[in-house]
DNA sequence: CAGCATCCGATCGGATACTG
DNA sequence: CAGTATCCGATCGGATGCTG
Protein backbone atom coordinates (compact mmCIF):
# COMPACT_ATOMS: atom_id res chain seq x y z
CA UNK A 1 0.00 0.00 0.00
CA UNK A 2 2.94 2.29 0.62
CA UNK A 3 3.74 4.44 -2.34
CA UNK A 4 7.29 4.81 -1.15
CA UNK A 5 9.21 3.43 1.79
CA UNK A 6 10.15 6.61 3.59
CA UNK A 7 9.14 8.03 6.97
CA UNK A 8 7.11 10.87 5.48
CA UNK A 9 4.95 8.60 3.38
CA UNK A 10 4.64 6.04 6.13
CA UNK A 11 3.29 8.62 8.54
CA UNK A 12 1.04 10.35 6.04
CA UNK A 13 -0.41 7.03 4.96
CA UNK A 14 -1.64 6.52 8.50
CA UNK A 15 -3.25 9.91 9.01
CA UNK A 16 -4.52 10.80 5.56
CA UNK A 17 -7.09 8.95 3.53
CA UNK A 18 -10.20 11.04 3.21
CA UNK A 19 -11.16 11.48 6.89
CA UNK A 20 -8.57 9.92 9.14
CA UNK A 21 -6.89 13.10 10.30
CA UNK A 22 -10.22 14.67 11.20
CA UNK A 23 -11.30 11.59 13.13
CA UNK A 24 -8.00 11.54 15.01
CA UNK A 25 -8.32 15.21 15.75
CA UNK A 26 -11.83 14.78 17.13
CA UNK A 27 -10.66 11.93 19.32
CA UNK A 28 -7.88 14.12 20.70
CA UNK A 29 -10.47 16.71 21.60
CA UNK A 30 -13.19 14.44 22.95
CA UNK A 31 -11.24 11.44 24.27
CA UNK A 32 -14.08 9.05 23.47
CA UNK A 33 -16.62 9.24 20.68
CA UNK A 34 -19.61 7.16 19.74
CA UNK A 35 -20.07 6.24 16.09
CA UNK A 36 -23.11 8.48 15.81
CA UNK A 37 -21.26 11.26 17.58
CA UNK A 38 -18.54 11.16 14.94
CA UNK A 39 -21.22 11.26 12.27
CA UNK A 40 -22.56 14.40 13.85
CA UNK A 41 -19.12 15.95 14.29
CA UNK A 42 -18.12 15.20 10.69
CA UNK A 43 -21.32 15.47 8.67
CA UNK A 44 -19.40 15.77 5.39
CA UNK A 45 -18.25 12.19 5.84
CA UNK A 46 -20.74 9.56 4.75
CA UNK A 47 -21.62 6.71 7.06
CA UNK A 48 -19.94 4.27 4.72
CA UNK A 49 -16.68 6.19 4.64
CA UNK A 50 -16.71 6.77 8.37
CA UNK A 51 -16.98 3.03 8.99
CA UNK A 52 -14.21 2.31 6.48
CA UNK A 53 -11.87 4.92 7.90
CA UNK A 54 -12.49 3.80 11.46
CA UNK A 55 -11.75 0.24 10.45
CA UNK A 56 -8.44 1.20 8.88
CA UNK A 57 -7.45 3.31 11.86
CA UNK A 58 -8.31 0.42 14.15
CA UNK A 59 -6.30 -2.00 12.03
CA UNK A 60 -3.33 0.37 12.21
CA UNK A 61 -3.71 0.33 15.99
CA UNK A 62 -4.24 4.07 16.14
CA UNK A 63 -7.72 3.85 17.60
CA UNK A 64 -9.57 1.22 19.58
CA UNK A 65 -13.22 0.30 19.72
CA UNK A 66 -15.21 -0.55 22.82
CA UNK A 67 -18.46 -2.30 22.15
CA UNK A 68 -21.13 -1.68 24.76
CA UNK A 69 -23.47 -4.65 24.73
CA UNK A 70 -26.77 -2.97 25.19
CA UNK A 71 -29.61 -3.47 22.79
CA UNK A 72 -29.12 -2.04 20.30
CA UNK A 73 -25.34 -2.21 20.67
CA UNK A 74 -23.30 0.96 21.09
CA UNK A 75 -19.65 1.63 20.41
CA UNK A 76 -17.03 3.97 21.72
CA UNK A 77 -13.89 4.91 19.86
CA UNK A 78 -10.75 6.26 21.48
CA UNK A 79 -7.08 6.64 20.67
CA UNK A 80 -4.67 3.89 21.63
CA UNK A 81 -1.45 4.82 23.46
CA UNK A 82 0.24 4.42 20.10
CA UNK A 83 -2.27 6.71 18.46
CA UNK A 84 -1.68 9.28 21.15
CA UNK A 85 1.97 9.54 20.15
CA UNK A 86 0.69 11.20 16.98
CA UNK A 87 -0.33 14.24 18.98
CA UNK A 88 2.73 16.41 18.19
CA UNK A 89 2.32 15.61 14.51
CA UNK A 90 -1.39 16.46 14.44
CA UNK A 91 -0.81 19.56 16.51
CA UNK A 92 1.96 20.69 14.19
CA UNK A 93 -0.27 20.31 11.16
CA UNK A 94 -3.16 22.03 12.92
CA UNK A 95 -1.02 24.92 14.13
CA UNK A 96 0.40 25.60 10.69
CA UNK A 97 -3.10 25.60 9.19
CA UNK A 98 -4.32 28.10 11.75
CA UNK A 99 -1.41 30.46 11.09
CA UNK A 100 -2.35 30.85 7.42
CA UNK A 101 -4.66 33.67 6.41
CA UNK A 102 -7.08 31.89 4.11
CA UNK B 1 -11.61 20.89 -3.32
CA UNK B 2 -11.49 21.02 0.46
CA UNK B 3 -13.28 18.15 2.07
CA UNK B 4 -13.77 20.15 5.22
CA UNK B 5 -12.92 23.67 6.24
CA UNK B 6 -10.58 23.04 9.15
CA UNK B 7 -6.86 23.72 9.63
CA UNK B 8 -5.91 20.06 9.60
CA UNK B 9 -7.53 19.37 6.26
CA UNK B 10 -6.32 22.62 4.77
CA UNK B 11 -2.72 21.80 5.60
CA UNK B 12 -2.93 18.16 4.59
CA UNK B 13 -4.53 19.09 1.30
CA UNK B 14 -1.42 21.07 0.45
CA UNK B 15 1.15 18.45 1.30
CA UNK B 16 -0.60 15.21 0.42
CA UNK B 17 -1.83 14.13 -2.96
CA UNK B 18 0.22 11.21 -4.14
CA UNK B 19 3.71 12.71 -4.18
CA UNK B 20 3.66 16.24 -2.84
CA UNK B 21 5.17 15.54 0.55
CA UNK B 22 8.05 13.63 -0.98
CA UNK B 23 8.73 16.40 -3.46
CA UNK B 24 8.68 18.99 -0.69
CA UNK B 25 10.98 16.84 1.40
CA UNK B 26 13.45 16.48 -1.45
CA UNK B 27 13.44 20.23 -2.00
CA UNK B 28 14.18 20.78 1.67
CA UNK B 29 17.17 18.50 1.34
CA UNK B 30 18.49 19.66 -2.02
CA UNK B 31 17.39 23.32 -2.16
CA UNK B 32 17.03 23.22 -5.94
CA UNK B 33 16.09 20.30 -8.15
CA UNK B 34 15.82 19.83 -11.87
CA UNK B 35 12.78 18.01 -13.23
CA UNK B 36 14.91 15.07 -14.27
CA UNK B 37 16.62 15.08 -10.91
CA UNK B 38 13.27 14.69 -9.17
CA UNK B 39 12.45 11.85 -11.54
CA UNK B 40 15.63 10.14 -10.47
CA UNK B 41 15.06 10.86 -6.77
CA UNK B 42 11.47 9.59 -6.89
CA UNK B 43 11.45 6.80 -9.47
CA UNK B 44 8.12 5.43 -8.20
CA UNK B 45 6.45 8.60 -9.43
CA UNK B 46 5.59 8.62 -13.12
CA UNK B 47 6.61 11.54 -15.27
CA UNK B 48 2.97 12.47 -15.73
CA UNK B 49 2.24 12.53 -12.00
CA UNK B 50 5.43 14.41 -11.24
CA UNK B 51 4.45 17.15 -13.67
CA UNK B 52 0.92 17.30 -12.24
CA UNK B 53 2.07 17.42 -8.63
CA UNK B 54 4.67 20.08 -9.37
CA UNK B 55 2.03 22.14 -11.10
CA UNK B 56 -0.29 21.97 -8.12
CA UNK B 57 2.48 22.81 -5.68
CA UNK B 58 3.45 25.76 -7.83
CA UNK B 59 -0.16 26.93 -8.00
CA UNK B 60 -0.37 26.74 -4.20
CA UNK B 61 2.75 28.90 -4.06
CA UNK B 62 4.70 26.28 -2.17
CA UNK B 63 7.33 25.83 -4.85
CA UNK B 64 8.60 28.01 -7.67
CA UNK B 65 10.00 27.16 -11.08
CA UNK B 66 12.97 28.77 -12.76
CA UNK B 67 13.21 28.15 -16.46
CA UNK B 68 16.72 28.19 -17.83
CA UNK B 69 16.51 29.12 -21.48
CA UNK B 70 19.10 26.87 -22.99
CA UNK B 71 18.30 24.52 -25.81
CA UNK B 72 16.75 22.26 -24.81
CA UNK B 73 15.24 24.23 -21.95
CA UNK B 74 15.97 23.26 -18.37
CA UNK B 75 14.04 23.94 -15.21
CA UNK B 76 14.86 24.29 -11.56
CA UNK B 77 12.36 23.87 -8.75
CA UNK B 78 12.76 25.29 -5.28
CA UNK B 79 10.62 26.11 -2.27
CA UNK B 80 9.12 29.56 -1.95
CA UNK B 81 9.48 31.42 1.36
CA UNK B 82 5.90 30.38 2.03
CA UNK B 83 6.74 26.77 1.26
CA UNK B 84 9.66 26.94 3.64
CA UNK B 85 7.34 27.72 6.53
CA UNK B 86 6.15 24.13 6.15
CA UNK B 87 9.47 22.88 7.45
CA UNK B 88 8.39 22.25 11.07
CA UNK B 89 5.35 20.36 9.80
CA UNK B 90 7.33 18.18 7.43
CA UNK B 91 10.02 17.61 10.02
CA UNK B 92 7.43 16.63 12.58
CA UNK B 93 5.91 14.07 10.24
CA UNK B 94 9.33 12.77 9.24
CA UNK B 95 10.53 12.49 12.81
CA UNK B 96 7.49 10.53 13.94
CA UNK B 97 7.89 8.13 11.01
CA UNK B 98 11.51 7.49 11.90
CA UNK B 99 10.66 6.75 15.52
CA UNK B 100 8.38 3.86 14.60
CA UNK B 101 9.84 0.35 14.41
CA UNK B 102 8.37 -0.88 11.15
C1' DC C 1 -27.37 1.92 16.86
C1' DA C 2 -23.59 0.51 14.23
C1' DG C 3 -22.38 -1.31 10.71
C1' DC C 4 -22.02 -4.38 5.88
C1' DA C 5 -23.21 -5.48 0.78
C1' DT C 6 -24.10 -3.96 -3.67
C1' DC C 7 -24.46 -0.97 -7.42
C1' DC C 8 -22.49 2.44 -10.34
C1' DG C 9 -20.85 7.01 -11.95
C1' DA C 10 -16.70 9.84 -11.10
C1' DT C 11 -12.08 10.32 -10.59
C1' DC C 12 -7.37 8.65 -10.54
C1' DG C 13 -3.22 7.43 -12.54
C1' DG C 14 -0.15 4.42 -15.51
C1' DA C 15 1.37 3.63 -20.41
C1' DT C 16 2.34 5.49 -24.50
C1' DA C 17 3.16 8.78 -27.91
C1' DC C 18 3.90 13.49 -29.33
C1' DT C 19 6.02 18.61 -28.98
C1' DG C 20 9.17 22.97 -28.59
C1' DC D 1 14.98 18.24 -21.44
C1' DA D 2 10.58 19.16 -19.75
C1' DG D 3 6.65 18.71 -20.38
C1' DT D 4 1.45 17.75 -22.74
C1' DA D 5 -2.44 14.75 -24.82
C1' DT D 6 -5.01 10.72 -25.08
C1' DC D 7 -6.53 6.35 -23.89
C1' DC D 8 -8.37 3.24 -20.58
C1' DG D 9 -8.39 -0.04 -16.66
C1' DA D 10 -8.44 0.45 -11.59
C1' DT D 11 -9.96 2.47 -7.66
C1' DC D 12 -12.81 5.60 -5.06
C1' DG D 13 -16.80 6.89 -2.81
C1' DG D 14 -21.81 8.26 -2.59
C1' DA D 15 -26.61 6.30 -2.44
C1' DT D 16 -29.39 2.88 -1.03
C1' DG D 17 -31.06 -0.98 1.34
C1' DC D 18 -30.35 -4.83 4.63
C1' DT D 19 -28.83 -6.92 9.35
C1' DG D 20 -28.15 -8.17 14.50
Amino acid sequence: MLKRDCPIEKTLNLITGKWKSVIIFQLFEHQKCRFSELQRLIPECSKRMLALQLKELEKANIIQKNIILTSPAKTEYSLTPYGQTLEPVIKSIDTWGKQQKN
Side-chain angles (χ1 to χ4, degrees), chain A residues 11-12 15 28 85-95:
Chain A
T11 307
L12 284 177
I15 64 177
F28 270 122
T85 66
L86 278 167
E87 182 161 22
V89 178
I90 298 289
K91 285 279 187 285
S92 169
I93 296 170
D94 183 54
T95 299

Side-chain angles (χ1 to χ4, degrees), chain A residues 15 18-27 38 41-42:
Chain A
I15 64 177
K18 202 66 182 172
W19 293 108
K20 291 182 189 175
S21 65
V22 179
I23 295 170
I24 294 171
F25 188 74
Q26 294 297 336
L27 288 178
L38 287 168
L41 290 168
I42 320 171

Side-chain angles (χ1 to χ4, degrees), chain A residues 3 6 10 12 16-18 34 36 41 44 46 54 56 63 76-77 80-81 86 89 91 93 95 97-98 101:
Chain A
K3 292 169 282 189
C6 69
K10 194 164 64 176
L12 284 177
T16 58
K18 202 66 182 172
R34 305 277 308 283
S36 52
L41 290 168
E44 303 93 334
S46 69
L54 286 170
E56 283 187 40
I63 66 171
E76 250 178 13
Y77 289 93
T80 61
L86 278 167
V89 178
K91 285 279 187 285
I93 296 170
T95 299
K98 282 175 179 160
K101 301 304 174 190

